[in-house]
């Protein structure tokens, strides 16, 4: 969290993992959490659980795909529309 500048409130809001669970994980390194929580926390950072636990760097495309998976269907549609808009604008500027 420190390396990324992440606040507990950001993780709680984005992942749904409770503040109590996150505080416990931060204060006691020997404590574990459920697989579901681990997946949500790792996904927040754009990584698989294995990458997160092993502190591996994920490729940018993998990070984007993992984060995309955390979005609701409506949010995915909005993001896809925004990306299409960016690509269309780029194509217009290039021509």
């Amino acid at each position: 969290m420190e390396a990324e500048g992440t606040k507990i409130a950001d993780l709680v809001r984005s992942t749904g993992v409770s503040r109590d669970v996150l505080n416990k994980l931060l204060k006691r390194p020997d404590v574990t959490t459920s697989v579901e929580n681990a997946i949500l926390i790792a996904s927040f950072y754009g990584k698989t659980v294995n990458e997160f636990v092993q502190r591996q760097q994920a490729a940018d495309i993998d990070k984007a795909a993992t984060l995309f998976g955390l979005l609701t269907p409506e949010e995915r549609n909005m993001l896809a529309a925004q990306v299409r808009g960016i690509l269309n604008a780029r194509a217009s500027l290039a021509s």
Side-chain angles (χ1 to χ4, degrees), residues 8 32 41:
I8 288 180
T32 60
I41 294 167

Side-chain angles (χ1 to χ4, degrees), residues 1 4 6 11 14-17 22 25 33-59 62-70:
M1 289 177 58
E4 298 285 335
T6 306
L11 275 173
S14 297
T15 65
V17 176
L22 294 171
L25 290 169
T33 189
S34 69
V35 172
E36 292 84 6
N37 285 343
I39 291 169
L40 291 169
I41 294 167
S43 295
F44 177 85
Y45 290 102
K47 298 181 178 189
T48 65
V49 172
N50 286 339
E51 289 170 335
F52 189 72
V53 169
Q54 296 171 5
R55 297 182 181 204
Q56 295 175 344
Q57 293 299 318
D62 294 334
K63 288 180 187 178
T66 303
L67 292 171
F68 190 79
L70 291 174

